Amino acid sequence: MESSVASNQKSYLQHKPYKGILNWLLSTDHKRIGLLYLYSIMVFFLIAAIFGLLMRIEKIAPGETIMGPQTYNGVFTLHGIIMIFIIVIPGLAAVFGNFFLPLLIGARDVAFPRLNLFSWYIYIAGTILAIISQFVGGGAPDTGWTFYVPYSAESSTSVIWALTAAFVLGFSSILTGLNFIVTIHRLRAPGMTWFKMPLFPWSIYATAWIQVLATPIIGITLLMVIAERTLNIGFFDPALGGDPVLFQHLFWIYSHPAVYIMILPAMGVVTEIFPTFSQKPVFGYTAIALSSIAIAAVGYFVWGHHMFTSGISYWSRWFFSFLTFIVAVPSAIKVFNWVSTMYGGSIDMKPPLLYAISFIFLFMIGGLSGLALGALATNVHLHDTSFVVAHFHYIVFGGMGFGFFAGLHYWYPKMYGRMYNVRLANIAWGILFLGFNLLYFPLFVIGLQGMPRRYFDYFPEYHTGHLLSTIGAFILIAGIVLMLYNLFFHVKRGEKAPANPWKGVTLEWKVASPPPHENFDEIPVVTEQPYTFKSTESDS
């Protein structure tokens, strides 16, 4: 294997055809574009996390503490828009899909490199519009990230700017998904059949189809709200002859599959990590690959479980509840196979594996609490309580967030050619894991007791739960700061990373760290399954 690591090319970080920052702004290299997304997303993540902390400080005690109700509505709307549309939906696919998809399938780049860079510029344009929406018109939008009508059609705040921002961000998502689909179909290395392809590209492939097929629906829906506000066309507002339930249907037809845009790439990341840190082939390769496709397919048909209390018919509620339980099956298949992959393996408990195991733990809590919300009777009791907030964050932050951190620690040596401090990474993981659970688990309890979500104030009987949750928020932020300090400090000061520090066997570990500008001197020919660990043993 080591003979294939040597390259006649400069690394992508040393390849500088332009001057200064233009090497980033004009680069069509998929690896640099992946890092552009990473840096953009991390900046906005910190901003949104601060907004989340401010919301928790407001709730540290009953009554008004640091902000009034209108400010609180604006803060939680901004927190939601940034986290959902700017970080969570594009996050994993845009960063690790861009950086590692071509490397994993043996390609020199994505199918349309210029379109790839253009997608990033559209993403930046959308984020700028989202920021502008906070300072123009009637003030920051206060509708929540769901933009439910009729309120979003009537609010005097700058809702149109926020709707336009989400619309523009959708274009970036569609173009990125289209690029990945063509890349996987056309640029796989010779010999890499579909069932010799690593499982992270499988998850990116399933995600890309959701991006291409579902995103136009939300785009059209947002345009309809803009048309209703500006032209008084009655799509959703009952006062104009529209139907607000129609908005909910159209919104969730996209937004529930969007949950899988968030979680499927995270599942792909941890699927790469478990065999590497167990030093054995992944258990149930075919089942994991096909379950990604199954989740993407079935995920289109469960949107109605967000609307059990919206007035849809009994049989509709029964149908959507049934399908909600069905979509849990392929997710359970993945969990079973991840655990089975570790069973009997040579476990190396490094930071990427800690985050991957945490992903399973948190995702299981989020998934099982999701079944409580998918059941008709319990849904009516728990609807719009903080139980939903806890479930949502266990899935999105516990799933996508910890999956992102797992991927960042796993591929960091390959991306930068440097190692981070493993001991510091372990400490940061422990603080982050503790803070996360202390922040969100009390919300399950007070949600069961009846605490509504989106309220800036509460009755004294919920004080203990909110106090614990706020303490958890401070601990979580401390863990994030320590983790980011460790990673950024060692980008240039860390020890040089070998080509294959974790003894992985997929193609990205067979090139130098950091990778050459065009990835491979010669396109590799694939002759065996992607998780065959005998080659690593013979090399070592």
Side-chain angles (χ1 to χ4, degrees), residues 142-212:
D142 58 353
T143 62
W145 70 274
T146 55
F147 301 114
Y148 265 20
V149 290
Y151 185 64
S152 65
E154 299 171 352
S155 172
S156 60
T157 57
S158 55
V159 174
I160 291 180
W161 284 89
L163 291 169
T164 306
F167 179 81
V168 172
L169 288 165
F171 269 103
S172 174
S173 182
I174 292 171
L175 294 178
T176 299
L178 187 65
N179 215 339
F180 287 165
I181 290 172
V182 177
T183 300
I184 292 171
H185 274 272
R186 302 294 298 172
L187 298 184
R188 298 196 312 276
M192 182 178 280
T193 60
W194 282 97
F195 289 99
K196 286 183 180 175
M197 187 168 69
L199 288 162
F200 179 66
W202 268 102
S203 70
I204 290 292
Y205 184 70
T207 304
W209 276 113
I210 301 174
Q211 290 174 288
V212 171

Side-chain angles (χ1 to χ4, degrees), residues 267 270-271 274 334-342 359-360:
M267 291 174 164
V270 300
T271 307
F274 287 123
K334 285 181 179 292
V335 171
F336 174 79
N337 285 297
W338 293 329
V339 175
S340 299
T341 298
M342 288 188 288
F359 168 91
I360 293 182

Side-chain angles (χ1 to χ4, degrees), residues 92-132:
L92 265 160
V95 175
F96 298 123
N98 262 309
F99 200 108
F100 286 101
L101 176 62
L103 284 163
L104 279 159
I105 65 173
R108 297 195 192 283
D109 208 321
V110 294
F112 307 115
R114 290 192 178 92
L115 185 66
N116 200 20
L117 180 62
F118 183 56
S119 301
W120 180 75
Y121 276 107
I122 295 177
Y123 168 81
I124 293 298
T127 59
I128 291 172
L129 284 173
I131 294 169
I132 291 175

Side-chain angles (χ1 to χ4, degrees), residues 234-302:
F235 291 117
F236 309 118
D237 189 348
L240 298 173
D243 182 0
V245 177
L246 174 62
F247 175 86
Q248 294 189 32
H249 277 292
L250 293 173
F251 181 84
W252 289 112
I253 285 174
Y254 163 78
S255 296
H256 193 80
V259 173
Y260 303 112
I261 294 177
M262 308 168 193
I263 201 68
L264 274 171
M267 291 174 164
V269 167
V270 300
T271 307
E272 298 295 328
I273 290 172
F274 287 123
T276 297
F277 290 91
S278 304
Q279 288 295 290
K280 65 190 281 275
V282 67
F283 184 89
Y285 169 92
T286 305
I288 293 178
L290 296 182
S291 64
S292 294
I293 304 299
I295 290 172
V298 180
Y300 278 107
F301 303 103
V302 299

Side-chain angles (χ1 to χ4, degrees), residues 270-428:
V270 300
T271 307
E272 298 295 328
I273 290 172
F274 287 123
T276 297
F277 290 91
S278 304
Q279 288 295 290
K280 65 190 281 275
V282 67
F283 184 89
Y285 169 92
T286 305
I288 293 178
L290 296 182
S291 64
S292 294
I293 304 299
I295 290 172
V298 180
Y300 278 107
F301 303 103
V302 299
W303 79 87
H305 71 214
H306 295 275
M307 303 167 57
F308 286 160
T309 61
S310 299
I312 61 176
S313 71
Y314 168 78
W315 287 109
S316 295
R317 294 199 298 266
W318 183 92
F319 177 76
F320 285 121
S321 178
F322 174 74
L323 286 180
T324 301
F325 281 79
I326 293 296
V327 80
V329 174
S331 300
I333 289 172
K334 285 181 179 292
V335 171
F336 174 79
N337 285 297
W338 293 329
V339 175
S340 299
T341 298
M342 288 188 288
Y343 180 75
S346 300
I347 302 295
D348 188 7
M349 200 62 80
K350 289 291 194 305
L353 186 60
L354 287 173
Y355 280 104
I357 292 173
S358 305
F359 168 91
I360 293 182
F361 180 80
L362 301 175
F363 179 72
M364 288 288 289
I365 294 175
L368 292 172
S369 58
L371 293 180
L373 293 169
L376 289 176
T378 49
N379 179 280
V380 172
H381 176 70
L382 297 170
H383 189 81
D384 263 350
T385 68
S386 69
F387 186 95
V388 180
V389 178
H391 155 74
F392 184 74
H393 282 84
Y394 265 88
I395 288 289
V396 174
F397 193 175
M400 182 274 174
F402 275 72
F404 192 97
F405 298 152
L408 199 55
H409 286 82
Y410 181 52
W411 281 315
Y412 179 95
K414 182 59 62 183
M415 296 164 78
Y416 294 105
R418 300 281 178 175
M419 295 297 294
Y420 51 81
N421 185 311
V422 171
R423 182 171 176 271
L424 207 56
N426 287 337
I427 294 172

